[in-house]
Amino acid sequence: MLIDFVPTVSGVSLAEAPAFKKAPGGAPANVAVGISRLGGSSAFIGKVGDDEFGYLLADILKKNNVNNSGMRFDRSARTALAFVSLRADGEREFLFFRNPSADMLFRESELDLKLLEQAKIFHYGSISLIEEPSRSTHLAAMTIAQKAGSILSYDPNLRLKLWPSAEAARKGIMSIWDKADIIKISEDEVTFLTGGDDPNDDNVVLKKLFHPNLKLLLVTEGSEGCRYYTKKFRGRVAGIKIKAVDTTGAGDAFVSGILSNIASDINLYQDEKRLREALVFANVCGALTVRERGAIPALPTKEAVLEMLQNIPE
């Protein structure tokens, strides 16, 4: 979890931005808030600095009904910062300040084991795999959650600039690939992870990215919707066309939407009709999020999603 500094004006580079507004960020934290907004129960585990920004982030989680008791505060390192510029089309460029930031120094001994063991679903990204000690902590947390019967959910959320090289990113992301029960990736990530293959080719996805332990693989296509792959079936669910103001957090909102459905129906991915309904719900979560700036402020409530669902033609 980190602080994003977003320009007050869209469509300008970081150098041209007249001013920046701070916004809470970090994909797993966004997902935790997204689930809470949808009426689910979530907790966040991670490390921030023992500084004003770190306590602000802990407070934002608390205000959004996310259990933050698994957060730790580092006295020697600062909360991570990122400057994010919004291009005219709502897409983003990043400049990170992490040398090292507190999240990278999260130690295994600081894990809240009880919290992990209670989780029905344990969701994570790949940024915590870049450096030690957070990498070992991440791997330990996965093992603890899995042993306790959690479903493991993985959204790599590729941020190439944070890795030493493209090859290190590919290797790091794939190093825990076969452990996950659920994986969500974007089309760009398919191309990156397969070494440039066509992200729309089902055979590429199934041959290179589907693994025997995987229950559900989701490939998101932005406003176009998403594709789904399970051991038994595969298909596509169309997206919802909406004017994008800021795409930040749309993927995280989508993940919140599908995970909140799976949490209340663990075998959802075995029934294609129910899975498709849940993915329409998740697509709406993503669509509603791009209408506003920032991730956490824009994440929708269950009421907003249900209202929009009623207006979608069958």
Side-chain angles (χ1 to χ4, degrees):
M1 195 176 188
L2 73 164
I3 303 270
D4 285 335
F5 284 90
V6 187
T8 50
V9 183
S10 285
V12 297
S13 68
L14 291 174
E16 293 162 340
F20 294 89
K21 191 179 171 198
K22 67 180 189 302
N30 293 343
V31 171
V33 173
I35 283 171
S36 172
R37 286 264 165 93
L38 294 169
S41 155
S42 62
F44 173 77
I45 288 180
K47 199 175 201 185
V48 290
D50 184 2
D51 52 44
E52 294 248 346
F53 286 151
Y55 290 103
L56 169 70
L57 293 174
D59 195 48
I60 285 166
L61 289 180
K62 197 174 177 185
K63 284 192 171 120
N64 282 284
N65 298 315
V66 175
N67 180 334
N68 68 2
S69 62
M71 281 182 87
R72 302 291 177 257
F73 301 86
D74 196 290
R75 288 193 173 164
S76 63
R78 299 267 184 244
T79 300
L81 308 178
F83 286 79
V84 188
S85 69
L86 289 178
R87 298 201 313 247
D89 60 2
E91 285 299 334
R92 300 155 298 165
E93 289 174 59
F94 295 90
L95 176 64
F96 293 96
F97 285 74
R98 300 169 86 236
N99 46 335
S101 52
D103 56 292
M104 297 154 76
L105 304 176
F106 192 24
R107 297 178 193 285
E108 197 178 325
S109 58
E110 297 173 311
L111 283 171
D112 187 324
L113 304 184
K114 279 214 171 72
L115 215 47
L116 277 167
E117 286 163 355
Q118 283 169 14
K120 222 180 224 181
I121 299 172
F122 178 50
H123 176 74
Y124 46 86
S126 70
I127 289 165
S128 38
L129 297 171
I130 300 172
E131 297 270 357
E132 289 291 0
S134 64
R135 178 182 161 79
S136 293
T137 308
H138 181 141
L139 299 176
M142 283 169 59
T143 304
I144 293 159
Q146 196 166 33
K147 276 187 182 157
S150 294
I151 290 172
L152 298 189
S153 163
Y154 184 23
D155 176 358
N157 238 305
L158 174 67
R159 294 284 177 269
L160 208 42
K161 283 184 179 172
L162 290 180
W163 293 86
S165 66
E167 192 41 48
R170 205 173 284 118
K171 210 172 147 190
I173 287 169
M174 295 309 288
S175 69
I176 58 167
W177 198 259
D178 59 352
K179 301 271 192 293
D181 298 297
I182 299 164
I183 295 176
K184 173 254 163 194
I185 41 175
S186 67
E187 287 180 296
D188 290 347
E189 287 163 343
V190 173
T191 304
F192 175 76
L193 293 172
T194 58
D197 287 349
D198 178 5
N200 297 307
D201 185 339
D202 280 351
N203 293 324
V204 165
V205 174
L206 286 167
K207 205 163 103 191
K208 293 199 174 178
L209 299 175
F210 201 87
H211 67 74
N213 302 325
L214 201 51
K215 295 180 171 77
L216 177 62
L217 174 63
L218 298 167
V219 178
T220 54
E221 305 174 342
S223 61
E224 298 298 315
C226 66
R227 303 199 301 277
Y228 58 88
Y229 303 85
T230 72
K231 287 191 179 85
K232 292 187 200 154
F233 47 75
R234 60 188 186 195
R236 195 170 171 278
V237 176
I240 289 98
K241 295 285 184 283
I242 212 157
K243 180 162 171 30
V245 174
D246 176 8
T247 58
T248 309
D252 302 327
F254 173 89
V255 171
S256 304
I258 190 65
L259 292 185
S260 61
N261 273 279
I262 290 171
S264 51
D265 183 1
I266 289 293
N267 296 314
L268 181 74
Y269 48 81
Q270 292 175 358
D271 179 334
E272 189 167 13
K273 181 176 178 289
R274 305 246 295 281
L275 175 63
R276 288 184 67 88
E277 285 167 3
L279 290 171
V280 173
F281 182 95
N283 280 343
V284 168
C285 291
L288 286 170
T289 305
V290 305
R291 298 197 305 191
E292 279 182 59
R293 281 185 187 230
I296 285 177
L299 293 164
T301 61
K302 193 170 190 177
E303 291 68 38
V305 177
L306 295 175
E307 190 182 324
M308 193 173 190
L309 278 170
Q310 285 173 342
N311 300 322
I312 295 173
E314 281 299 319

